[in-house]
Amino acid sequence: MSTRLATGGRLIDRTTRAEFTFNGKRMAGHAGDTLASALLANDQMLVGRSFKYHRPRGIVASGPEEPNALVNLGRADRLEPNQRATTTELFAGLESSSQNHWPSLEFDVGVANNYLSRFLPAGFYYKTFMQPRAAWKHVFEPIIRQSAGLGSAPKEPDADRYEYAYAFCDLLIIGGGIAGLQAALTAGQTGKRVILVEQTAHWGGRAVVDGDVVEDEPAEDWVKSAVDALKTMKNVTLRTRCMGAGVYDHGYVLVNERVADHTPMDGRPKQRVWRIRAGHIITATGAIERPLSFAGNDIPGVMLAGSMRDYVVNFAVSPGDRTVVVTNNDDAYLTAIALVEAGLSVPVILDARADVSGDVPNRARALGIRVEAGRGIASVRGGKRVTGVQVCLQAGEGAVLEEIACDAVAMSGGWSPVVHLWSHCGGKLTWSTHLSAFIPDPNRPPLNHDGAAMVTVVGAAAGVFNAADIIASATSVENTPAIPPVWVMPHGAPIALRSKMWLDYQNDVKVSDVQLAAREGYESVEHTKRYTTLGMATDQGKLSNINGLGVLSQSLGEDIPQVGTTTFRPPYTPVTIGALTGEARGDLFQPLRRTPMHAWHEKNGVYWEPVGHWRRPYCYTRSNETHEQAVHREVNNTRENLGLLDASTLGKIIVKGPDAGRFLDMLYTNMMSNLAIGKCRYGLMCNEQGFLSDDGVVARIDEDTWLCHTTSGGADRIHGWMEDWLQCEWWDWKVYTANVTEQYAQIAVVGPKARKLLEKIGGMDVSKEALPFMQWADGTLGGFNVRVYRISFSGELSYEIAVPASQGAAFWELLHAEGAEFGAMAYGTECLHILRAEKGFIMIGDESDGTVTPLDLGLGWAVSKKKADFLGKRGMERTFLADPDRWQLVGLETLDGSVIPDGAYAVADGLNENGQRNTEGRVTSTYYSPTLKKGIAMGLVKHGPARMGEVVELNKLDGSTVKARIVDAVFFDKAGDKQNV
């Protein structure tokens, strides 16, 4: 049976047929339909089952506020659960199925819960399943877990693709109704960069559906002219199918674009998440119609009046031949008028208001529609679809005055402005007694860092519903007829009726549930929400919250502003995980980062080590060597001849600007602002708690430029940390940072013969006098433009040479070819670690683990005593971190020369609370030193530096012990003669 009207339907193309399936049944709609409108056109009133009681559910709305019509779309690797039929654009071949039932939608055994509803009130799970514990664990928990969820979770990888995009603008406008269009026209004419986004596929919003007149012309004509004018402005960008998902600090907005949901497999990404930074944001997001709470208001065929008007006007779909309209405001009369003008019957309009007058009601009366003031619905009759309504006095207790046969009910309890985006960043609300709704308080907006308003709300989202006021940018709500609060219908309904009035359709929360929560002491709206699950469905309370607040406030004897609201959190509507992931999946989930010398490493026996997203050579094996043998060979060769290390992965961050020195003094524990141009300095970074976070060498490039080296795994983290402080705390400091890690290849030329190799290839003076230790210089070597740093992490004569990344492989090859006569040999990270350990140089992540301070590591010399402040200073001064009993860094040598196992702890006398031996230290790094021919280790030991020569007992993981002597952490060349040669 088709309910498609013979004429009308402004959004559908009747010449294009689109076949689809619902629960395997073949149906047909038209291009321009939504899945919801197509289902209604095929007289499919029953679309799903509620979560708790498995009650029959029909389509109630026409937009993202829809709680009932959630379906599975597609199958196999394109299965999408919990998709709203109301926002799903129809396309040929669409496959859909209903959810939350077994064995079928029409016959669902889960409906037995409905007949047990008196035993399953709000919070029943708290009361019923607490004791006995065994019954909960073994009987109830498996049942609950089996029942959880709505749709079918996909079992195959998503075959579609998604992407991120970035944009910047002076003004972002969210919402493409007449308010958003007018705002864009005004701003666009000033030359501002404007982005206007609209979540549907069409411009104009409700004004077009309602037949408003805008500036003396029909709204549809005005909208077309406005869009055409905006398209001619090069500074304005228009995008439909874009939902404003969330507003964050500093004008940062996430927008979800449904690129090809309606044209699957056309080669485009399915969805795109826009990350937009805007100077200012205007939300023109409209309003959502509220349902009314009367017995049976969830029966399929009971719909929001405005949504029913959408289906009739936009899609030429009749939800019913005879529709009873029930309302407390004038807007619902427009639905009655639209139905009658479409040739459908409206036997009566039941208006809860005692006095009904004005232009719109009189227009309805002129069409012969019966209007009954002071009336409400006592109960809707029907099961899987509406068959009639029982009429009562709104001021009464539900006594039935008459029964009217009908097959649909259009309800309207008023309109709630969409304040979600305004609220995401702290915008405050005020209660409008005129509209019986929360509206944005313009005196308490979300603020930018400079104290200026970050968000402005216009149109219906601000409570302004009159088209003339919207175009004139007026902010008064008084031109809209007053909407009296109607939280329960009828007002004095007995408990038998209240227990059949539904607030949250998906989660089966009733008026009586909220009243029960109030009686049981849940006075906080947040507590009531969790106790009853009100507003926790996939629509996140878009339909239920205001009515729920009204019922709660009445039950508590308080006004709604005193009860408050629940928290609005992004996203505004659900965003699929695929869109949030973007292209970061499969091989792109964590793209491997490769240095310019990666191919050379592959060809020369490399054994890779993961370091963050990088792959670094651990060692290079030859013939039948073990990894250990290869590492020892590399250590010996570097100490005796010449080693080459690919150090390109080390973080390189440019910090530039008039306040750069001041900024670095706050980031590092020691002074960096007084570093001379051309010189280098080792520095430590701590977090706010005073724990060591990263280390590296800083080079002063010019008067206002520094280059900060970080650990390989820390570059992105440290750069993000810098930007966090600059953008959120020190936003007025004139500092620019850039992560240039991958712009340069960096090679360490290390060993006694390092200088000989560089002198051989020639081009610049690298002598001790020309380039002393801890200085840098620009020049050429072997015909390559280079920057040479005289720094050493091995204790050997060492040069770290940076070249443009594009020249890295060629320079590496040159060094190997020309260095052959000096025994040039590549070495990997494990050799580097041993060289460092022999010199007592700490490793971030080994000697530091997020609980260690520079003072614990004997690095007090790198902590300034002159600076008034730096990040971590106050943390390190706390009593616990300044405790002299903290473990401190020392060297450890086993008495028998063996290598201490990783994870070993130094044990002490006595037992702890767990009956285990007390500990007084732990090993942080441990190696066999080919140079010293014995095992060496560093560790943190209680009072360690004061216990030199003392022997401690170390527990291995297997339970055995080994004895080690506490020694100086510098095992090799303590005077530093080799690195200063």
Side-chain angles (χ1 to χ4, degrees):
M1 175 181 174
S2 173
T3 64
R4 184 82 70 180
L5 300 173
T7 59
R10 55 180 290 268
L11 298 183
I12 60 172
D13 178 3
R14 293 179 184 264
T15 66
T16 305
R17 179 182 171 90
E19 293 190 352
F20 68 101
T21 62
F22 178 71
N23 289 343
K25 181 180 179 181
R26 297 188 66 83
M27 299 181 180
H30 294 297
D33 264 323
T34 63
L35 176 58
S37 67
L39 289 171
L40 289 173
N42 285 271
D43 199 33
Q44 184 67 49
M45 299 299 292
L46 179 61
V47 295
R49 295 279 180 164
S50 64
F51 177 67
K52 185 174 175 182
Y53 299 134
H54 288 247
R55 288 176 62 86
R57 288 289 188 253
I59 297 166
V60 70
S62 61
E65 68 275 21
E66 172 61 41
N68 294 338
L70 300 181
V71 299
N72 289 322
L73 290 180
R75 54 188 171 88
D77 58 1
R78 284 192 162 84
L79 174 64
E80 292 181 277
N82 294 322
Q83 297 301 298
R84 282 180 173 76
T86 52
T87 58
T88 299
E89 295 181 54
L90 190 68
F91 58 85
L94 181 149
E95 298 177 80
S96 61
S97 59
S98 52
Q99 305 180 154
N100 201 45
H101 53 71
W102 186 85
S104 69
L105 175 61
E106 287 72 22
F107 178 76
D108 178 18
V109 297
V111 78
N113 287 354
N114 188 50
Y115 303 108
L116 300 172
S117 60
R118 63 179 297 182
F119 303 107
L120 302 173
F124 75 94
Y125 31 81
Y126 294 118
K127 303 169 185 175
T128 307
F129 300 148
M130 295 299 291
Q131 298 293 336
R133 184 175 179 82
W136 161 251
K137 184 70 177 176
H138 300 294
V139 178
F140 298 121
E141 183 180 359
I143 295 173
I144 294 295
R145 290 191 181 280
Q146 182 65 31
S147 302
L150 290 173
S152 301
K155 297 181 179 179
E156 300 182 26
D158 191 343
D160 289 304
R161 69 183 185 90
Y162 307 84
E163 68 180 21
Y164 288 155
Y166 299 82
F168 303 86
C169 60
D170 299 312
L171 178 65
L172 172 64
I173 303 171
I174 303 172
I178 60 172
L181 291 169
Q182 178 62 36
L185 286 169
T186 302
Q189 290 164 358
T190 68
K192 291 182 178 179
R193 292 178 300 166
V194 178
I195 298 177
L196 172 62
V197 298
E198 161 59 34
Q199 67 180 353
T200 71
H202 308 281
W203 301 103
R206 294 223 58 87
V208 180
V209 178
D210 296 347
D212 285 343
V213 175
V214 182
E215 294 183 328
D216 298 326
E217 63 177 328
E220 191 159 16
D221 295 339
W222 184 92
V223 168
K224 184 179 184 306
S225 298
V227 172
D228 289 343
L230 289 170
K231 287 180 178 178
T232 66
M233 300 181 186
K234 294 183 179 180
N235 56 311
V236 176
T237 300
L238 303 178
R239 285 192 175 273
T240 56
R241 300 185 175 95
C242 281
M243 181 269 295
V247 174
Y248 305 87
D249 291 338
H250 310 293
Y252 183 61
V253 182
L254 287 186
V255 173
N256 187 43
E257 181 181 9
R258 302 170 75 93
V259 180
D261 275 12
H262 59 299
T263 56
M265 296 179 284
D266 69 351
R268 295 183 297 167
K270 183 179 178 67
Q271 294 182 23
R272 179 184 296 124
V273 170
W274 286 90
R275 300 180 176 194
I276 301 174
R277 187 75 71 176
H280 191 75
I281 302 158
I282 290 179
T283 65
T285 45
I288 293 174
E289 194 167 19
R290 294 193 296 268
L292 287 166
S293 299
F294 46 81
N297 63 343
D298 68 326
I299 294 174
V302 180
M303 298 178 64
L304 296 173
S307 296
M308 187 175 289
R309 191 156 77 244
D310 289 338
Y311 289 115
V312 171
V313 175
N314 288 335
F315 307 106
V317 169
S318 164
D321 291 337
R322 286 174 56 82
T323 301
V324 168
V325 177
V326 57
T327 185
N328 66 341
N329 64 86
D330 285 2
D331 189 83
Y333 285 78
L334 298 178
T335 296
I337 293 169
L339 289 169
V340 171
E341 290 179 343
L344 301 170
S345 173
V346 178
V348 66
I349 298 175
L350 304 174
D351 198 319
R353 297 173 293 185
D355 179 33
V356 179
S357 59
D359 177 62
V360 179
N362 289 338
R363 284 171 55 196
R365 289 188 177 101
L367 290 173
I369 302 174
R370 175 187 169 196
V371 176
E372 292 289 345
R375 298 293 192 270
I377 291 179
S379 179
V380 178
R381 314 302 289 173
K384 295 180 181 177
R385 64 192 309 150
V386 172
T387 60
V389 298
Q390 293 179 328
V391 181
C392 64
L393 292 172
Q394 169 57 20
E397 297 183 357
V400 178
L401 301 179
E402 64 175 308
E403 187 163 329
I404 299 175
C406 61
D407 51 8
V409 176
M411 60 180 171
S412 178
W415 291 80
S416 299
V418 175
V419 297
H420 300 61
L421 301 182
W422 165 269
S423 302
H424 284 173
C425 259
K428 303 304 180 183
L429 305 175
T430 185
W431 179 254
S432 169
T433 54
H434 187 78
L435 299 176
S436 296
F438 281 104
I439 62 175
D441 184 346
N443 296 317
R444 297 182 293 166
L447 301 178
N448 273 321
H449 55 73
D450 59 359
M454 184 174 72
V455 183
T456 301
V457 186
V458 298
V464 180
F465 293 91
N466 182 279
D469 288 347
I470 291 172
I471 297 301
S473 300
T475 58
S476 172
V477 302
E478 303 301 324
N479 288 337
T480 300
I483 301 176
V486 176
W487 309 127
V488 176
M489 180 174 281
H491 179 75
I495 185 64
L497 288 182
R498 295 199 300 269
S499 64
K500 298 177 183 178
M501 301 174 181
W502 305 90
L503 294 170
D504 190 312
Y505 293 98
Q506 192 179 104
N507 280 352
D508 285 326
V509 180
K510 308 181 292 293
V511 166
S512 59
D513 292 326
V514 173
Q515 292 172 331
L516 174 63
R519 290 198 301 273
E520 295 192 343
Y522 289 90
E523 299 180 2
S524 163
V525 63
E526 293 286 5
H527 291 164
T528 298
K529 172 182 177 178
R530 284 150 183 81
Y531 187 64
T532 64
T533 69
L534 176 76
M536 294 174 67
T538 55
D539 71 316
Q540 288 292 286
K542 291 181 175 67
L543 294 187
S544 62
N545 271 3
I546 296 298
N547 286 349
L549 287 172
V551 172
L552 180 62
S553 65
Q554 282 186 340
S555 300
L556 296 173
E558 297 180 355
D559 294 330
I560 281 184
Q562 278 64 58
V563 175
T565 66
T566 52
T567 303
F568 297 95
R569 297 184 179 93
Y572 172 62
T573 62
V575 178
T576 180
I577 292 176
L580 296 175
T581 302
E583 295 180 342
R585 53 190 292 184
D587 290 341
L588 294 179
F589 177 65
Q590 278 193 336
L592 295 184
R593 303 171 79 171
R594 297 175 171 87
T595 74
M597 289 76 93
H598 188 91
W600 187 96
H601 303 321
E602 289 275 17
K603 296 175 183 177
N604 286 272
V606 70
Y607 176 67
W608 293 112
E609 177 186 24
V611 181
H613 291 176
W614 293 101
R615 290 297 179 267
R616 295 193 70 181
Y618 177 89
C619 66
Y620 304 85
T621 56
R622 295 181 178 179
S623 59
N624 295 321
E625 277 184 328
T626 65
H627 295 147
E628 183 180 24
Q629 291 168 339
V631 170
H632 293 172
R633 169 176 49 81
E634 293 169 7
V635 171
N636 289 330
N637 185 74
T638 303
R639 289 282 185 221
E640 297 168 6
N641 296 303
L642 177 62
L644 301 176
L645 173 73
D646 182 358
S648 305
T649 62
L650 295 178
K652 310 169 195 69
I653 301 173
I654 294 288
V655 179
K656 184 178 181 65
D659 293 318
R662 174 189 182 193
F663 176 59
L664 293 178
D665 282 347
M666 287 298 295
L667 296 187
Y668 285 92
T669 61
N670 49 347
M671 295 289 288
M672 290 298 171
S673 59
N674 62 0
L675 181 61
I677 296 171
K679 294 201 172 183
C680 305
R681 181 173 294 163
Y682 176 72
L684 304 173
M685 292 178 173
C686 292
N687 60 23
E688 298 93 308
Q689 288 75 39
F691 297 123
L692 185 60
S693 174
D694 207 273
D695 71 344
V697 170
V698 177
R700 180 79 175 268
I701 306 303
D702 58 36
E703 189 62 34
D704 66 354
T705 307
W706 283 255
L707 176 66
C708 303
H709 289 95
T710 73
T711 56
S712 293
D716 293 337
R717 173 175 56 87
I718 295 300
H719 184 236
W721 180 64
M722 288 179 172
E723 284 298 307
D724 185 37
W725 282 99
L726 283 175
Q727 294 182 31
C728 299
E729 300 295 333
W730 304 319
W731 50 266
D732 56 341
W733 290 13
K734 297 178 180 179
V735 182
Y736 171 79
T737 70
N739 186 349
V740 296
T741 300
E742 296 184 65
Q743 303 302 113
Y744 297 94
Q746 197 144 312
I747 300 166
V749 182
V750 182
K753 301 176 182 178
R755 185 175 287 134
K756 293 180 180 179
L757 170 58
L758 300 186
E759 288 174 342
K760 176 183 177 182
I761 63 177
M764 63 183 294
D765 188 350
V766 293
S767 66
K768 179 178 180 179
E769 296 72 26
L771 189 57
F773 187 60
M774 295 304 282
Q775 293 194 22
W776 66 270
D778 287 335
T780 60
L781 284 172
F784 290 86
N785 293 322
V786 296
R787 175 169 289 165
V788 183
Y789 305 91
R790 260 293 278 122
I791 55 180
S792 177
F793 289 98
S794 61
E796 295 292 336
L797 174 64
S798 175
Y799 300 84
E800 285 203 13
I801 305 171
V803 298
S806 60
Q807 300 174 22
F811 188 59
W812 176 261
E813 295 272 9
L814 173 69
L815 293 176
H816 275 276
E818 297 298 330
E821 67 174 283
F822 306 115
M825 183 185 297
Y827 66 91
T829 55
E830 186 65 4
C831 171
L832 170 65
H833 295 168
I834 293 174
L835 297 175
R836 291 182 65 136
E838 290 174 347
K839 286 291 294 180
F841 295 152
I842 68 161
M843 282 285 293
I844 297 295
D846 287 349
E847 277 62 54
S848 70
D849 65 354
T851 66
V852 174
T853 74
L855 303 181
D856 297 334
L857 300 176
L859 297 174
W861 57 267
V863 178
S864 174
K865 297 177 178 59
K866 297 179 180 179
K867 291 196 295 184
D869 198 12
F870 58 83
L871 295 180
K873 178 179 174 66
R874 279 164 282 180
M876 279 187 275
E877 291 172 348
R878 290 180 297 170
T879 303
F880 176 71
L881 294 190
D883 188 340
D885 286 339
R886 285 181 63 82
W887 297 353
Q888 294 176 297
L889 187 71
V890 293
L892 295 167
E893 290 181 347
T894 56
L895 300 186
D896 59 5
S898 63
V899 177
I900 301 172
D902 284 317
Y905 272 80
V907 293
D909 295 334
L911 301 177
N912 62 22
E913 294 177 354
N914 296 322
Q916 301 165 323
R917 290 188 65 179
N918 284 322
T919 58
E920 60 175 351
R922 62 182 172 85
V923 172
T924 57
S925 57
T926 175
Y927 305 96
Y928 175 79
S929 167
T931 307
L932 304 174
K933 304 294 190 295
K934 62 182 179 181
I936 62 172
M938 288 190 286
L940 294 163
V941 177
K942 183 177 181 180
H943 300 153
R947 297 170 62 183
M948 289 296 160
E950 187 176 324
V951 174
V952 294
E953 185 179 359
L954 298 166
N955 253 7
K956 301 179 183 180
L957 294 180
D958 62 5
S960 62
T961 61
V962 62
K963 292 185 177 181
R965 180 174 288 106
I966 298 175
V967 298
D968 194 311
V970 182
F971 297 94
F972 176 74
D973 188 27
K974 186 174 179 63
D977 295 332
K978 290 176 69 67
Q979 72 184 19
N980 290 305
V981 66

